[in-house]
Amino acid sequence: MPILDWGCAMVAGVDCPSQGGTVLLFEPNAIHDQELSGTWFVDAGCLAEWLEAWLAGTSWYEEEAVGEGLYMPLWADAASRL
């Protein structure tokens, strides 16, 4: 379920069937050879964690976090769920 439109076609969404509601990031610039499973990343393990980081100002999109080598893993279930 989409929860935030970042612009430039990037969207954050909650994987409702997951335990706690994993927050995913769709990043269309990661499309390679028409394979969409490489465009979905795990932004946070659960919605509560994502909201806490947002409120604390510690998320990847914060100005201070840019360039810190932040790694966001691919969503492992993407290929089987898309």
Side-chain angles (χ1 to χ4, degrees), residues 7-64:
C8 297
M10 292 174 54
V11 178
V14 176
D15 178 23
C16 294
S18 68
Q19 182 83 10
T22 302
V23 178
L24 305 171
L25 175 70
F26 173 71
E27 168 49 291
N29 293 309
I31 293 175
H32 181 69
D33 292 332
Q34 302 298 316
E35 178 56 49
L36 294 180
S37 64
T39 62
W40 289 92
F41 299 86
V42 176
D43 193 339
C46 67
L47 181 57
E49 176 187 315
W50 188 79
L51 290 169
E52 287 172 4
W54 178 300
L55 292 172
T58 58
S59 297
W60 63 267
Y61 46 80
E62 295 295 330
E63 190 172 319
E64 295 79 31

